[in-house]
Structures are given as structure tokens and as C-alpha cells.
């Protein structure tokens, strides 16, 4: 490890340059929004930035030039917004998130800036197929799943609602792994998304910051007061990369700032001077490692040192960036709560709390109590889970080694907090131990969720049920101690990406029926209720769905050589592979249908034709999840090839499910599978996307399903399974899955068929661990909900027979789900947590 008692750094500070040209007071205006203007700007970019003539240009050149052109149109607005923000000093949101699952940028930015048609026409005039350019974009997969995609929806909504916001995060060099299947088994490949460069980012190496780690602390006398200070041991630099976040049709552009890690140049210099070139390179590599790769675990944190380094790296850079560069010089810190709220997206950025305290107390000389009072106003925490194993903890050992001063600060926060607890609850040692930010077993560690709860002005869950369980089950002592701290904000999704972009045909139909305002006022979808009663509208809606299925079919053929048969019910389960989400329940349904026909108990002609689509990545170290993927693929191979089914059941598992594929799959779906064990899925957001695109949900009483069902009505939702209290009661009585197996004929046959090796070339060992898990050791009670699930699927089959009634239900789902716009989520955050007014125009 490089030693570093070097001066806090050598990166040249940027000097604000005086504006000398008359144009310097305002940004260069946007190019004219005409096809000619666009073509000209595009050719300029192609020639001057890519250095090629149109006749010689590759698709990559053309894509880059197009992206630069769209950027050019947004630039004036972006610069104006940054200036406005500096001038008005309005309160803004700093969203701290380790993940942003953005999806492709080109279409989104065209849509936001009203350039979609102009760009298509301009490309056509240049003899370019814009579709080929769209396909050229590699999506930035800087997130695992729901939490990362939620962050992307939120920053879209904030920009659209003119709320000042900076999204802070990490520019991973490698995002979520690319999934391939080899013999049905998941194989991970690195996601080298930056290979050809990224036209959407603006690197600012001159604005790099030094981030310190390690070392030790010492006390010193400060005019009679004993203070502590940190003598760090080594450092890396954090280079900001800025991304535009355009609002929809409102001329606003916010900023997403992602940090990339590099070596301080002092490293190279010192080592170079001492002649150790190899060592200099090693230091470089060591530093770059920090932002090298996104951790692909999405629920069980591994407690890896590098992950803590990532977390501190981006939090320290972001807090300092805000205090030093966003706030005006000499800003009175006492007024900070009027200027900013730091929203903690899960526990991943919670190390920002002791970092903020350290800056205020150690660097700015503020009294502890004053600094703590500020912290408790400037931070808020969102929890995204209910699984106890997903709550992050860091061992004191590791924290003390990597961030010794932060550990001291956490200890002090805890000490003072526990004193308050004693004051309120008395010396109830059991309770003190339960509430301590430091846990003692199995090793002494810091509970980051507790730290966030104590530090935050507010703590929120992400759906009504989740927030209630958070209060009652996960943090009951805390909700008693801080009765007003806990609140709910139900998740939402952006209608720009998930309706307008993903489902243009539906968007056009809605606009025709309701006018254009719904894109930013999604409750207006209510107006569709009346149209649901109009047979002609239903026919057109059904035609949109059919067209979306054909479009998906083309995509899957092109991508994976899969065929989607006409007239099939499209039954879709896309989400991370996790036992609690219960892909196995879906699979048991499929095997049941197959077994009934294969055994001759049901005629193939009696089956409702269905195509099952799965999309799911498993964490590379999660063996059970990977085995389930293998089983899905194996069942698919057998079912798809067996003539006994007469082509009436198909199982498709396109690899590498991502945002781009989601945008094609969701609009085509008839049935949305949301089948987690009640009390385990915090919210779900896929469920909202499907309902808004006119799929009906088969789901448990879990997460946001509860609210979807309340809104769409029982007649338009296929509910099954135990409720959360029923789950609790069954656990208390003792869950004996083998009894369900013994007593349910269909279930036993399905499981026996899997166990017999029918899907593994006769090998009984491959899937045995899955079967014995379900039978003896399943925390997620798959077998307990099987009968109810099969029953609900039979109701689905029956309902699907009446296509017109089904379509009516689908329309009502769209009409009644306007609540699930992320614009509404943002309003709730603003009202309940942030108290940020929209920036004045
Ligand atoms: C490796 C540590 C780790 C742990 C948890 C990484 C990432 C996570 C995330 C919290 C996983 C996640 O995406 N959670 C999902 O968040 C969504 C947005 O709130 C919810 O809709 C989902 O229910 C929740 O599972």
C-alpha cells in the first residue's frame, strides 16, 4: 500500500476564469430545431468530433455524432440551470446512491427535448437508419435491479418537476455482468460498457478530489479542549463525470455526477523519482480498482473491504463537492438545512453521516452538538428491504482499519444516542443492546441501518405494507423511540421511459383519448375508465397489445432465435433471481401443466396456449439461484421440444435481462407475475410497469401489490397466497412443507418429475438440492402457496377465454395506476421529507 504523509494533494485547483467575451454571460444558444439545423449540427459533429466524412463513417461514428447533436440541443439549458441554481441558491436534493440503472440515453434525451421526429427525419436525409444507431447504444448497467432503477426514475421525475437535484454515485467501469447461458447454466461476462467511449458523459479531471483512507487518529489540545484528528495513510483521487438529466418538455436539465477513482499523481511521482516504475503502476491499478466494478449481490451484502471503500469513496467526494463547489463561498453552515437534503438510498451511502460529522467537527471546528443537530436535519434514509440478512453491517475491525476517525465518531454517536434511550426507557439493558448501533455478535460491528435511522430526519419504507412492517418488525424499538420519524413513500416509475418510450403505440392511443397532459400528470389516466366501456376502444387497445407482442417476437428472434407464437397468453416473470421472489413457484406451475398432459390426465387441446417468459440474473455467488436458472432452462428445453404439448406451452428465458429488454417485454405482457412470499418484497416496481402497460397481475398480498390491487379492484387482479400475518402464524405453528407435498397430488407429481431426472437427462442429482430445499428447508414457503397459486392460474385461464373482458380489465389497470408515477413519489418525498419547492422558472 502506498504510503502518504504527503501534502493533501497536488491536483491543481481550478481557477474561476473571468468572463471576457460578450457571449460569456450566456451559453451558446441551441441550434435551430429544424431538420436542416439538426443535419448541419450532426455533420459538424461527425466531421469535427469524430473526424470522419459522412461517406466514410461507421455506425459507431454516426451514433456518437447523433448523441453529440442531442447534447448540443440540451447544453444551453443545462448551463442555464446550473447558473440559476448558483444564483437562486434554492433548496435541492442530493440523492446519494451506489446504483443508477439508467437504461439507454439516446431516445430518452430525444423525447425530453422534443427532437424525436426531427432527428429521424434528419438521419433519413443523411441516408442513415436511425434504428441502427439506437441499437448501437450500450446501456449503462450501473445497478442491480429495483433500487438502481428507482434512482434513475427519481432523477427523471425531479428534473421534470423542476426540482433542483444532483444525483451522486459511482461511475463503475464495469456495470452489472452480462449473462450468458452455457448448457442452461449462467455464465457471467464482464460488462465492458465503456469500450467505445461514452458520448453522454463530461469528465472533469481538473476538478478531481483527494479521498483519504487508513492511518490513525490522535488527540491534541485545542486551547484547553481535547480534540481528535485523523492522520490518514493513503489516498486516491475521485474524478467527477457529469451527465445531463433532462426534464420532459420543461427545458430543465439537472445533473448526475458519478465518481471515478484514480491514483493521486503524487504516487507516481514519488515512486518514479525513486525509480520504482513497477510500484508506481501497481499504485495506479490499486486506486483504479475502487470504481472498477459494481458488486452484483442484490440482497446479501458480502462485507468486502473494497465495497466499503467504494461507499466511502463516493460519499466523501459527494459531500465535499457539495460543500466546496455547490455552496457559495463563505456559506453559513447553520443554514444548511435551508439548502440541502442528502437522501440515503438504502444503507450503502450511510458512511456519509460520520464523514459529514468529521468535516463539521474536525475540519470546520464546529461543536459536536451543533454539528449533530445539523446532521439530523440534513439527512434522510430510505430502506428497501425486509430481509434481515440484507441489512448491511461493517465489522468494527474493518472500519477501524479503513476509517479510524469515522469509527470514533460512530462510537460517540452511539454513546449519546444510548444515553437518550436510557433517559426515555430507563436502564432496560435488553433494549439498549437491541438498539445499539454497535452489535456484539457474531463479531463487533456497526449496523448501518441503525446509524441511518438515528441520524436521519426521516426514515421511509417504499410501500405501505413495507413501511408498516419496518416500523413493527424491523425497527420496533426505534419507531417507539422516534414516533414521528417513520413515514412511507410508495415507489413509482417514470411514465416517460416506461410508457412513452417503451410503448409508443399505447401512448398514442392514450393521447388520442385524453389529450397530451397525462405524461406529466399520470392521474389523468383515470379518464380511460370511460373508454374501457367502448368496444371500439377495446379493439384498438387489444390491437396495440398484439402489435407489441409481434414487436417483442421480432426482438427475441433477432437476439436469441426464439419464436413467440400468435394467440398465446404472454405470462412474464422478470426480476432478479431470488428465493424470496419465488421463481420456483412459477416453475412448478409450468411443470404441473406439462405433467398433466404428459401423463395423459389432460388433453393438450384443453390447455390455454401460453408462452412463459423469464428474465433473471443470479448473483454469481448465490448457488441456489444459479441452480434454479439451470432448472428453468432445462424445463424449457424439454417442454419446448415435446410434441405431446402440440406447441401450446413455451418457456423462453432470454439471457441478460436488462432495462433495454424490459422496455420490449413489459408492453407485450398479458400477465405479470408478482409472487413473492407476503412480507418479503419491499415494494416491487416491475409490478407497476406491467400494470401501467395493461398487463393483469397475478400476485400475493405483498409490497406494492397491495396498493395496486386496492386501486384496480379485486376483479382486475388475481390474488393468491397467504397474507403476511398468515405467514407469521404458520411459522409459529411450524411449517412442514412435506405435508403439502404429500397431500397435493399435482404438486407431488410435479416435484417427482423433476426429481426423476426428467429435465436433467436422467441425472437425479442435479436438481436434488432444489427439491430438498423446498421440502425441508424453505424460508419462503413455496409449497404452502402452491395450491392457491395453481387455483389462481386456473382463474387466469378462464378469464383469458373472454378476450374482450380481459382487455377491459387491462384498460382498467392502466386507468387506475396513475398513482404509480414516480412524479407522485417525488411529491410525497417533497411533502413528507424534503420540503423543497420547485425552482422558480
Ligand atoms: C450487496 C448489497 C445490496 C443489498 C441490497 C445491494 C442492493 C440491494 C438492494 C436494496 C436490492 C434492491 O434492489 N431492492 C429493491 O428495491 C426496490 C426499490 O425500492 C424495491 O421495489 C424492491 O422490492 C427491493 O427488493
Amino acid at each position: 500500500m502506498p504510503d502518504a504523509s504527503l501534502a493533501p494533494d497536488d491536483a491543481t485547483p481550478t481557477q474561476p476564469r473571468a468572463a471576457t467575451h460578450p457571449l460569456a454571460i450566456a451559453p451558446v444558444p441551441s441550434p435551430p430545431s429544424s431538420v436542416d439545423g439538426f443535419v448541419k449540427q450532426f455533420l459538424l459533429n461527425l466531421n469535427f468530433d469524430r473526424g470522419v466524412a459522412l461517406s466514410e463513417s461507421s455506425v459507431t461514428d454516426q451514433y456518437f455524432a447523433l448523441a453529440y447533436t442531442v447534447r448540443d440541443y440540451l447544453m444551453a439549458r443545462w448551463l442555464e440551470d446550473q447558473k440559476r441554481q448558483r444564483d437562486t441558491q434554492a433548496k435541492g436534493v442530493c440523492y446519494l446512491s451506489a446504483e443508477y440503472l439508467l437504461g439507454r440515453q439516446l431516445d430518452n434525451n430525444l423525447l425530453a427535448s422534443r427532437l424525436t421526429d426531427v432527428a429521424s427525419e434528419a438521419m433519413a436525409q443523411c441516408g442513415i437508419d436511425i434504428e441502427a444507431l439506437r441499437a448501437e447504444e450500450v446501456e449503462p448497467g450501473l445497478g442491480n435491479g429495483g433500487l438502481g432503477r428507482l434512482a434513475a426514475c427519481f432523477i427523471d421525475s425531479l428534473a421534470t418537476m423542476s426540482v433542483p437535484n444532483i444525483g451522486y454515485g459511482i461511475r463503475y467501469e464495469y456495470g452489472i455482468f452480462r449473462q450468458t447461458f452455457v448448457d442452461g447454466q449462467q455464465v457471467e461476462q464482464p460488462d465492458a460498457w465503456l469500450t467505445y467511449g461514452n458520448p453522454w458523459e463530461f469528465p472533469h479531471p481538473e476538478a478531481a478530489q483527494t479521498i483519504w483512507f487508513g492511518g490513525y487518529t490522535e488527540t491534541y489540545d485545542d486551547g484547553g479542549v481535547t480534540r481528535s484528528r485523523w492522520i490518514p495513510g493513503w489516498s486516491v483521487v475521485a474524478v467527477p463525470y457529469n451527465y445531463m438529466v433532462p426534464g420532459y418538455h420543461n427545458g430543465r436539465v439537472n445533473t448526475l455526477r458519478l465518481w471515478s477513482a484514480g491514483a493521486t499523481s503524487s504516487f507516481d511521482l514519488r515512486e518514479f523519482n525513486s525509480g520504482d516504475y513497477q510500484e508506481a503502476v501497481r499504485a495506479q491499478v490499486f486506486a483504479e480498482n475502487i470504481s472498477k466494478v459494481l458488486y452484483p449481490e442484490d440482497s446479501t451484502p458480502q462485507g468486502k473491504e473494497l465495497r466499503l471503500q467504494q461507499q466511502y469513496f463516493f460519499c466523501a467526494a459527494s459531500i465535499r463537492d457539495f460543500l466546496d463547489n455547490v455552496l457559495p463561498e463563505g456559506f453559513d453552515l447553520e443554514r444548511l438545512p435551508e439548502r440541502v437534503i442528502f437522501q440515503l438510498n438504502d444503507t450503502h451511502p450511510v458512511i456519509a453521516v460520520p464523514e459529514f460529522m468529521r468535516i463539521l467537527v474536525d475540519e470546520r471546528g464546529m461543536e459536536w452538538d451543533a454539528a449533530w443537530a445539523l446532521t439530523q436535519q440534513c439527512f434522510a434514509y430510505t430502506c428497501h428491504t425486509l430481509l434481515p440478512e440484507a441489512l448491511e453491517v461493517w465489522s468494527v475491525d474493518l472500519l477501524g482499519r479503513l476509517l479510524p476517525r469515522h469509527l470514533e465518531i460512530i462510537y460517540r454517536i452511539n454513546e449519546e444516542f444510548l444515553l437518550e434511550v436510557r433517559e426515555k426507557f430507563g436502564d432496560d439493558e435488553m433494549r439498549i443492546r437491541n438498539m445499539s448501533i454497535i452489535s456484539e455478535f457474531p463479531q463487533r460491528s456497526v449496523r448501518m441501518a441503525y446509524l441511518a435511522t438515528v441520524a436521519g430526519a426521516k426514515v421511509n419504507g417504499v410501500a405501505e405494507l413495507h413501511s408498516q412492517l419496518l416500523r413493527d418488525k424491523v425497527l420496533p424499538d426505534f419507531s417507539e423511540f422516534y414516533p414521528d420519524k417513520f413515514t412511507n413513500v410508495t415507489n413509482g416509475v417514470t411514465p416517460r421511459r416506461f410508457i412513452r418510450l417503451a410503448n409508443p403505440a399505447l401512448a398514442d392511443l392514450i393521447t388520442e383519448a385524453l389529450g397530451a397532459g397525462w405524461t406529466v400528470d399520470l392521474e389523468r389516466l383515470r379518464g380511460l375508465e370511460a373508454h374501457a366501456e367502448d368496444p371500439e376502444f377495446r379493439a384498438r387497445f387489444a390491437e396495440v397489445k398484439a402489435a407489441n407482442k409481434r414487436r417483442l417476437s421480432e426482438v427475441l428472434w433477432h437476439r436469441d432465435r426464439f419464436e413467440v407464437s400468435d394467440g398465446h397468453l404472454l405470462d412474464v416473470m422478470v426480476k432478479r433471481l431470488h428465493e424470496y421472489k419465488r421463481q420456483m413457484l412459477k416453475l412448478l406451475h409450468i411443470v404441473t401443466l406439462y405433467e398433466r398432459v404428459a401423463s395423459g390426465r389432460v388433453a393438450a387441446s384443453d390447455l390455454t396456449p401460453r408462452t412463459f417468459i423469464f428474465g433473471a440474473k443470479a448473483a454469481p455467488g448465490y448457488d441456489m439461484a444459479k441452480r434454479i436458472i439451470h432448472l428453468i432452462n432445462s424445463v424449457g428445453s424439454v417442454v419446448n421440444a415435446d410434441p405431446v404439448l402440440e406447441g401450446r406451452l413455451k418457456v423462453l428465458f432470454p439471457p441478460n435481462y436488462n432495462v433495454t429488454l424490459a422496455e420490449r417485454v413489459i408492453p407485450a405482457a398479458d400477465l405479470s407475475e408478482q409472487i413473492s412470499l407476503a412480507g418479503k418484497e419491499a415494494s416491487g416496481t416491475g409490478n407497476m410497469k406491467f400494470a401501467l402497460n395493461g398487463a393483469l397481475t397475478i400476485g400475493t398480498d405483498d409490497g406494492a401489490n397491495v396498493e395496486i390491487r386496492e386501486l384496480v379492484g379485486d376483479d382486475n387482479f388475481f390474488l393468491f397466497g397467504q397474507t403476511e400475518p398468515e405467514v407469521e402464524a404458520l411459522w409459529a405453528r411450524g411449517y412442514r412443507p412435506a405435508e403439502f407435498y404429500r397431500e397435493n397430488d399435482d404438486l407431488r407429481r410435479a416435484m417427482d418429475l423433476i426429481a426423476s431426472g426428467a429435465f436433467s437427462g436422467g441425472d437425479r442429482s442435479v436438481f436434488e438440492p432444489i427439491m430438498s430445499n423446498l421440502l425441508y428447508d424453505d424460508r419462503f414457503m413455496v409449497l404452502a402457496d402452491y395450491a392457491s397459486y395453481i387455483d389462481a392460474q386456473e382463474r387466469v385461464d378462464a378469464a383469458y377465454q373472454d378476450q374482450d373482458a380481459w382487455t377491459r380489465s387491462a384498460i382498467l389497470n392502466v386507468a387506475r395506476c396513475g398513482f404509480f408515477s414516480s412524479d407522485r413519489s417525488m411529491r410525497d418525498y417533497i411533502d413528507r421529507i424534503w420540503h423543497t419547492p420547485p425552482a422558480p422558472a
Side-chain angles (χ1 to χ4, degrees):
M1 192 146 322
D3 151 84
S5 24
L6 291 163
D9 202 43
D10 36 311
T12 355
T14 35
Q15 296 299 326
R17 270 177 292 274
T20 51
H21 189 278
L23 276 183
I25 53 165
V28 176
S30 307
S33 282
S34 60
V35 174
D36 281 354
F38 198 100
V39 168
K40 198 168 150 211
Q41 192 71 17
F42 171 75
L43 293 175
L44 255 154
N45 286 325
L46 195 61
N47 295 168
F48 290 84
D49 275 302
R50 295 297 294 183
V52 291
L54 178 57
S55 57
E56 307 300 319
S57 60
S58 65
V59 173
T60 308
D61 290 325
Q62 294 164 7
Y63 161 69
F64 269 75
L66 176 57
Y68 289 148
T69 306
V70 179
R71 256 174 41 170
D72 293 343
Y73 280 88
L74 289 167
M75 187 56 75
R77 297 293 173 73
W78 197 24
L79 300 181
E80 277 163 16
D81 261 2
Q82 289 169 48
K83 181 169 184 314
R84 176 174 21 232
Q85 193 45 38
R86 275 194 303 275
D87 293 348
T88 62
Q89 290 294 312
K91 183 168 181 178
V93 183
C94 287
Y95 201 76
L96 298 180
S97 177
E99 305 188 5
Y100 290 89
L101 197 46
L102 296 172
R104 285 180 176 165
Q105 298 298 291
L106 174 61
D107 262 344
N108 186 254
N109 294 355
L110 282 171
L111 175 71
S113 51
R114 307 177 200 255
L115 286 167
T116 310
D117 294 341
V118 171
S120 300
E121 180 54 29
M123 291 306 99
Q125 284 195 8
C126 296
I128 294 169
D129 172 16
I130 196 171
E131 283 309 318
L133 306 197
R134 288 198 168 98
E136 188 69 10
E137 179 169 358
V138 186
E139 79 165 69
L142 309 184
N144 272 288
L147 162 139
R149 183 53 237 178
L150 188 76
C153 286
F154 282 4
I155 60 177
D156 177 84
S157 283
L158 289 173
T160 296
M161 297 165 72
S162 304
V163 178
N165 160 243
I166 304 176
Y168 281 114
I170 302 175
R171 178 182 176 273
Y172 300 103
E173 199 177 322
Y174 295 88
I176 187 67
F177 63 85
R178 204 159 55 76
Q179 179 193 53
T180 59
F181 295 139
V182 174
D183 298 330
Q185 287 177 272
Q186 171 174 296
V187 174
E188 302 90 19
Q189 236 107 58
D191 163 51
W193 70 293
L194 293 166
T195 305
Y196 295 125
N198 176 4
W200 302 108
E201 65 186 18
F202 294 82
H204 283 282
E206 80 291 352
Q209 302 198 25
T210 305
I211 307 297
W212 294 93
F213 293 90
Y216 56 93
T217 64
E218 59 182 23
T219 50
Y220 67 103
D221 182 81
D222 180 17
V225 194
T226 309
R227 287 179 172 274
S228 182
R229 71 179 156 217
W230 181 22
I231 315 295
W234 53 279
S235 67
V236 300
V237 296
V239 177
Y241 283 66
N242 294 334
Y243 302 75
M244 295 169 162
V245 183
Y248 172 81
H249 291 191
N250 68 342
R252 297 302 179 99
V253 184
N254 278 340
T255 300
L256 171 64
R257 185 161 297 149
L258 304 182
W259 300 97
S260 175
T264 44
S265 43
S266 49
F267 283 166
D268 328 296
L269 236 103
R270 260 168 65 98
E271 306 294 354
F272 187 72
N273 288 342
S274 65
D276 195 344
Y277 171 69
Q278 302 255 355
E279 188 49 35
V281 171
R282 207 188 59 79
Q284 181 85 28
V285 169
F286 173 83
E288 285 171 0
N289 241 337
I290 290 187
S291 58
K292 185 68 71 184
V293 55
L294 168 76
Y295 274 92
E297 277 71 45
D298 78 326
S299 62
T300 335
Q302 294 294 316
K304 294 266 171 60
E305 177 157 2
L306 184 60
R307 187 172 164 85
L308 181 57
Q309 288 175 10
Q310 291 186 334
Q311 295 182 348
Y312 179 67
F313 166 79
F314 96 89
C315 290
S318 305
I319 300 261
R320 187 171 296 277
D321 181 60
F322 185 82
L323 295 178
D324 290 359
N325 305 330
V326 181
L327 286 182
E329 229 178 89
F331 183 87
D332 174 10
L333 287 178
E334 297 293 339
R335 301 183 48 200
L336 211 52
E338 297 164 30
R339 270 294 274 119
V340 70
I341 180 88
F342 292 101
Q343 186 66 37
L344 303 167
N345 197 24
D346 216 86
T347 54
H348 319 152
V350 172
I351 197 68
V353 167
E355 170 65 3
F356 186 73
M357 285 297 289
R358 187 189 69 79
I359 290 177
L360 297 188
V361 173
D362 295 4
E363 293 189 1
R364 309 261 172 131
M366 196 180 273
E367 289 305 320
W368 177 274
D369 289 345
W372 183 238
L374 275 184
T375 301
Q376 285 191 307
Q377 291 170 270
C378 289
F379 284 85
Y381 161 55
T382 305
C383 176
H384 294 264
T385 191
L386 279 162
L387 303 183
E389 71 267 29
L391 294 174
E392 270 186 317
V393 295
W394 290 108
S395 81
V396 158
D397 187 56
L398 171 57
L399 253 170
R401 224 171 346 104
L402 202 65
L403 300 166
R405 178 61 184 137
H406 298 76
L407 181 59
E408 284 180 1
I409 291 171
I410 293 168
Y411 273 135
R412 172 135 183 221
I413 292 172
N414 192 42
E415 225 170 85
E416 304 203 348
F417 167 63
L418 292 181
L419 278 177
E420 287 178 46
V421 174
R422 282 181 197 279
E423 253 170 56
K424 180 152 177 176
F425 292 140
D427 292 335
D428 178 347
E429 296 309 321
M430 183 70 149
R431 199 195 283 256
I432 301 286
R433 219 170 341 174
N434 286 341
M435 293 182 78
S436 174
I437 294 170
I438 310 294
S439 80
E440 300 294 335
F441 298 104
Q443 55 177 333
R444 181 176 281 206
S445 20
V446 179
R447 298 157 158 161
M448 300 308 271
Y450 290 13
L451 177 57
T453 303
V454 173
K458 293 281 172 178
V459 175
N460 76 285
V462 290
E464 290 289 352
L465 174 66
H466 174 234
S467 296
Q468 183 205 316
L469 293 172
L470 197 59
R471 273 187 294 252
D472 299 350
K473 300 274 163 77
V474 185
L475 301 167
D477 294 318
F478 289 88
S479 73
E480 201 182 332
F481 187 71
Y482 297 120
D484 300 328
K485 213 180 244 208
F486 288 78
T487 185
N488 170 251
V489 178
T490 297
N491 282 167
V493 304
T494 172
R496 271 72 66 184
R497 182 174 293 269
F498 288 105
I499 305 179
R500 285 292 295 258
L501 290 179
N503 201 341
L506 177 62
D508 288 346
L509 183 62
I510 298 172
T511 301
E512 206 186 303
L514 305 178
W518 61 271
T519 313
V520 291
D521 182 7
L522 209 61
E523 287 287 359
R524 292 201 198 176
L525 292 179
R526 279 278 172 194
L528 292 176
E529 279 192 19
H531 292 80
E533 308 309 326
D534 170 7
E536 201 206 324
F537 186 85
R538 287 201 297 272
R540 296 187 60 195
F541 188 95
E543 177 43 43
V544 166
K545 186 60 82 182
N548 288 336
K549 287 186 187 179
R550 290 193 294 272
R551 189 180 60 153
L552 173 65
S553 175
E554 274 166 37
V555 169
L556 292 182
W557 175 253
H558 178 76
R559 188 183 192 274
D560 306 306
R561 292 289 176 264
F562 288 160
E563 285 177 90
V564 181
S565 316
D566 286 347
H568 276 217
L569 184 162
L570 216 60
D571 178 341
V572 183
M573 183 162 190
V574 286
K575 50 185 80 253
R576 284 297 287 257
L577 200 311
H578 202 292
E579 288 163 275
Y580 84 79
K581 296 180 187 278
R582 302 200 296 189
Q583 278 91 355
M584 272 311 298
L585 189 53
K586 172 80 272 174
L587 199 61
L588 286 174
H589 171 229
I590 297 171
V591 173
T592 295
L593 294 178
Y594 173 56
E595 194 280 334
R596 284 177 182 166
V597 176
S599 67
R601 291 181 299 141
V602 168
S605 56
D606 287 338
L607 293 175
T608 300
R610 284 206 202 204
T611 294
F612 303 92
I613 295 185
F614 288 90
K617 291 179 183 178
Y622 187 175
D623 290 330
M624 183 61 75
K626 290 178 111 172
R627 213 180 279 269
I628 292 171
I629 285 181
H630 188 194
L631 179 55
I632 298 171
N633 278 321
S634 304
V635 168
S637 311
V638 170
V639 163
N640 295 346
D642 196 329
V644 76
L645 287 170
E646 298 167 11
R648 294 174 83 85
L649 300 182
K650 284 271 148 43
V651 180
L652 305 180
F653 193 164
N656 202 41
Y657 176 67
N658 58 10
V659 177
T660 304
L661 185 58
E663 289 168 12
R664 290 292 172 262
V665 170
I666 293 169
D670 295 306
L671 187 66
S672 157
E673 300 271 353
Q674 309 299 338
I675 60 180
S676 51
L677 177 64
K680 301 297 176 194
E681 187 71 272
S683 161
T685 44
N687 47 3
M688 303 168 186
K689 294 164 197 167
F690 280 102
L692 281 166
N693 280 279
L696 274 56
T697 304
I698 182 164
T700 47
D701 225 336
D702 199 15
N705 296 354
V706 177
E707 289 155 79
I708 293 178
R709 186 170 60 91
E710 269 165 17
L711 281 163
V712 306
D714 285 343
D715 296 346
N716 304 300
F717 188 106
F718 300 97
L719 176 68
F720 76 96
Q722 306 168 92
T723 61
E724 193 279 333
E726 286 168 351
V727 168
E728 286 296 311
L730 180 52
W731 271 124
R733 286 203 305 279
Y735 173 48
R736 278 177 292 275
E739 288 174 9
F740 292 93
Y741 166 81
R742 252 181 275 114
E743 283 156 26
N744 188 310
D745 191 42
D746 271 331
L747 174 59
R748 201 178 58 254
R749 285 163 174 269
M751 292 185 72
D752 287 353
L753 191 61
I754 297 170
S756 74
F759 304 107
S760 38
D763 184 342
R764 295 160 153 269
S765 67
V766 193
F767 301 123
E768 192 280 328
I770 303 180
M771 293 302 108
S772 48
N773 172 266
L774 294 182
L775 280 171
Y776 307 113
D777 191 21
D778 176 19
R779 296 169 55 206
F780 305 109
M781 296 185 162
V782 169
L783 303 196
D785 280 347
Y786 169 88
S788 161
Y789 182 58
I790 297 292
D791 179 65
Q793 288 289 8
E794 277 159 13
R795 284 184 274 134
V796 169
D797 281 337
Y800 199 68
Q801 300 308 311
D802 185 346
Q803 282 287 303
D804 200 38
W806 182 280
T807 299
R808 182 174 169 278
S809 271
I811 297 169
L812 290 177
N813 266 264
V814 180
R816 295 173 180 172
C817 282
F819 176 77
F820 298 107
S821 168
S822 46
D823 300 347
R824 188 271 317 149
S825 303
M826 293 297 87
R827 271 194 299 278
D828 288 350
Y829 274 94
I830 290 167
D831 293 347
R832 298 171 196 171
I833 302 173
W834 297 339
H835 312 297
T836 48

